[in-house]
Amino acid sequence: MGDPARKPDFEGLVHEVGAELLRRAAQARPSLFDARGLRGRALARAMQDEQLRAALFRFVDTLPQLRTNGEIAEHLRAYLRGHTLAGAWGRLAASVPLAAAVRASVKRVARNFLVEETPPAIRRTLAGLSRVPAVASFDAVGEAVLSEAEADRYLERNLLLLDCLARDRVAAPNLSIKLSALTPRFDRIDPEGSCRRVMARLEQLMPHIQALGATLMVDMEQHDLKPLVLDTFRALLDRFPGRDWLPGIVQQAYLKGAPEELGELIDEARRRERRICIRLVKGAYWDTELAAAAQRGWPEPVLLDKAQTDAQFERMVDLLFYAGERIYPAIASHNVRSLAYAIARARMHNLRAWEVQMLHGMAEPLMHAVAATGVRIRVYVPTGDLLCGIAYLIRRLVENTANTSIVRQTWLERRDPAELLAPPWPGAASAEEPVSRDGFFNVPALDFSRPEAREAFAAALDTVRAQFGASYPLQIAGAQRGHPDVQESASPAHPSTILGRVEQASVPQAARAVENAIAAFDKWRTVPAEERAALLRIAADLMDRRRHELAAWEVFEAAKNWREADADVAEAIDHLRYYAAQALEIGDWRTTHSFPGERNDLRYEPRGVTVVIAPWNFPLAILAGMTSAALAAGNAVIMKPAQAAQIVAHRFAALLREAGLPATVCQLVAGSGGTIGEFLVEHPAVAAIAFTGSREVGFDILRRASAMRPGQRQIKRVVCELGGKNAIIVDGDADLDDAVADTLSSAFGYQGQKCSAASRVIAVDEIHDAFVARLAQALDAWDYGPPEDPRFVFGPVISAQAKTRIERWIETGRAEAKLYYRGRVPAEGFYVAPAIFIDVDPSARIAREEIFGPVLSVLRARSFEQALDLALDCDYALTGGVFSRLPKHIELARNRFRVGDLYINRRITGARVGVQPFGGMGHSGTGVQAGGPDYVKQFMWTRVVSENTLRHGYVPPQEA
Ligand code: NAD
């Protein structure tokens, strides 16, 4: 190492160690790249062709779900279409033996990474490792845990692993565990409950860990679960303070702020005087983290630059190595540079108590090379079957074959050692801007993993509680005040709690509101679009500032849980901003086509007095959406909210006034649909009606509005968004983890009271039974209770009448089909226990009528095509969903499944303004979708002015 008197050249040492590692490692190839035959050829090709790689991995992802060789052949051909491998593989796979060979081949690749969960297989693996020599950490990998039974199964698998370790008296026993797999509800919105549920199962595991003196390594999961993982880890330390086990936790270097958080963890170990093992990894969910952040509009939690991550990893290695005896570092990497750095650092400090960790099946030559340096190696050994481990397998395959894969660069590309060992050189990482769509952004949902967000929301609930019982008088300028007709607004979860007293309009008062609107319209229509848009944007900003309080009102008045309430307010803000932008885009006069001597101009003009009749289920988003679109277009609006959500409507009206909107340009007229709603619809001075609600009322409005009444000067425009009987098709090859979780939230989120909710599932025969069983088990894990308590996902329905109506539907269902599952609910409040019916005949009423509650009808289909026919055999056409992995079925659905919003391999609720414009056809609506580019124009008409500018043969110069 040169002259010892000089300051040791640390980089030189890193290179020296690295060169030695590379030299030793070069003598063999990782077993994955050694594969011959079908598997070897496919992987070799996949390395060179990015698209083929994606196609192959998508195929592999589907494989566990495919039962027959015919299905395998069909999928393989579909995925490989257009690739050079396709011909050979497709032909081969079409023959039954070869399809079996494909399955076997993929299984062999899987076995490269995943060890069978049986005592002999584990023993064999350990024996193999002892020859390196290396020790192991076992990890039972698996599918998503969606029910208590699945969490129990995960616990059992871990107990079995511990039993194997105990029987074989394994040295340095170590078990890796995923906390989110110990409960079906590991939810950051309910940290205490989540922690309690996990702890209940950990308590069964811990005696075995203690008896073995083992390390329990808590895996880190996606970023938004990190605080919950850390809190639960701390609770585990509190609960099991003894020195008879070693607690371990993973830290990911790709997270922004990771070194600071690692520092806190080290401090905590010192404070507790507790030894902790910290496994340092770079992080395995980079793509997922970026996609999740982009979709939610949250800042990216991960570093964007790979070199930055590598540099941060090295900083964290230093932090761990300088941390002292309380920390036992486990450095997990397959990157020669990162490992050389750690080994060099450890040598410099003469550190012995640490280890290198590597994944089973990855970079074995490097593992041997590291072992030869005398550092302890621990191999992380995932166990489980192919079906359970598929997500894990795909991650590893991607990792090994990607261009940036260090394993690939080291062994296949044989890059220059100097390049492989160069210190990471972070580029100027571009802080990427969120993707802007014409200057419009969706307001991000609140991140309830942050305690500040939860505290602010809880405080808003208290603020709102203090306002219970207030009066909400009518505010119609010039209206005669008689004996006020007051309606009490009660909480669906606590019907005896009066939230407020809302004055209802009489017909003469509503008539006065129309007169006000007529007068206001004359001025408002001339206000430039810029000013109208500016007012709406001020209102949006105000709403953003009051976001928690408005959502808190929804929690009490409409019984929405925290997330649903927050999402509704966010959507309302989006509507205000989106339609403001639309108004600007529509603008003023535009030229259609002008000729010399002829000028032709067109302008969109508002229609006039517009009545907005809203439902209660999205109390702010729908009311604010219809209203702001009509206002943006220049109409004077009268809002008639649903009686079950009148307080939220009052808050919105007050907010518009505060934003500076003239009081008579947008008035609130509370009252019953039957009297006030009908009166407004029929009023001859009303030019447009925007209605969202049930089909029955919508059809009635369309009929009434089409009648010409004395004094009426125009044909009324009716914009209707009505109900749905939305179907999700579950294809035979569907990913059950996704299909179950997403169907669950689509069907039972907000107690099924969404127009977009799934109320039919059509499952293809071969998957039907497994799907239904898992769905019911997963639903059974939901907790029911008042929505102000974030522990509960599922709350009451909106009213006593709704409860009676839905219960009647359930009785109908009992007569028509087989009740497969019924939940339990509290006695107080308007709760309806969710129900799943199976063996539902397509002609049954529960298969055809909108129920608007937590009732799901499951139909069985022989094939995907038949499922599609059944889905389409319906009067409604609002939303629909498909879970399938066969490209041809997805394509078929795209073309034939004609509903307003079709969702593929995802939940069918939660449309975002400007991204998924929302609305249906058939009996579901009049067509042009809300939150889309054409919506505002429905509240307008076009007018053209054509002028002959020719004067006795003279064309004015500017037009010549
Ligand atoms: P609803 O039809 O009972 O009431 C909607 C509104 O219409 C309320 O303000 C009500 O007071 C008013 N109304 C009732 N009778 C009236 C009449 N005769 N004349 C004028 N107005 C009248 O619906 P709801 O129970 O509030 O909401 C649930 C329904 O709304 C479901 O069918 C659901 O699918 C539908 N919905 C559709 C969408 C969509 O975008 N397509 C969105 C939300 C809700």
Side-chain angles (χ1 to χ4, degrees), residues 691-744:
F691 170 79
T692 305
S694 61
R695 171 172 68 176
E696 291 62 37
V697 176
F699 282 9
D700 185 56
I701 289 178
L702 282 162
R703 195 175 49 78
R704 283 175 200 281
S706 66
M708 211 30 96
R709 293 174 207 277
Q712 184 172 332
R713 289 263 170 85
Q714 50 192 328
I715 299 168
K716 293 178 185 175
R717 161 59 65 93
V718 183
V719 176
C720 265
E721 301 290 344
L722 309 176
K725 186 70 189 174
N726 313 305
I728 289 180
I729 297 176
V730 183
D731 199 0
D733 69 349
D735 180 324
L736 270 189
D737 280 2
D738 290 348
V740 169
D742 292 342
T743 301
L744 203 63

Side-chain angles (χ1 to χ4, degrees), residues 15 168 387 420 510 623 723 860:
H15 274 256
D168 289 354
L387 174 61
L420 292 171
L623 180 68
R860 196 189 277 266

Side-chain angles (χ1 to χ4, degrees), residues 461-542:
L461 289 169
D462 287 340
T463 309
V464 164
R465 262 191 209 98
Q467 298 168 40
F468 282 180
S471 292
Y472 297 88
L474 274 178
Q475 300 205 344
I476 300 173
Q480 293 278 331
R481 308 304 299 263
H483 247 313
D485 168 14
V486 171
Q487 198 201 45
E488 287 183 335
S489 178
S491 150
H494 315 282
S496 55
T497 304
I498 301 305
L499 304 176
R501 296 178 170 79
V502 184
E503 189 180 345
Q504 307 295 290
S506 63
V507 168
Q509 286 166 328
R512 177 68 211 202
V514 178
E515 282 165 35
N516 292 344
I518 295 169
F521 174 62
D522 248 3
K523 281 204 198 108
W524 181 244
R525 59 185 280 274
T526 63
V527 170
E530 290 74 19
E531 266 178 56
R532 296 198 302 263
L535 285 171
L536 292 176
R537 284 179 171 157
I538 295 172
D541 293 346
L542 271 177

Side-chain angles (χ1 to χ4, degrees), residues 672-692:
S672 88
T675 51
I676 297 304
E678 275 182 25
F679 170 77
L680 291 170
V681 166
E682 292 184 351
H683 198 294
V686 166
I689 298 148
F691 170 79
T692 305

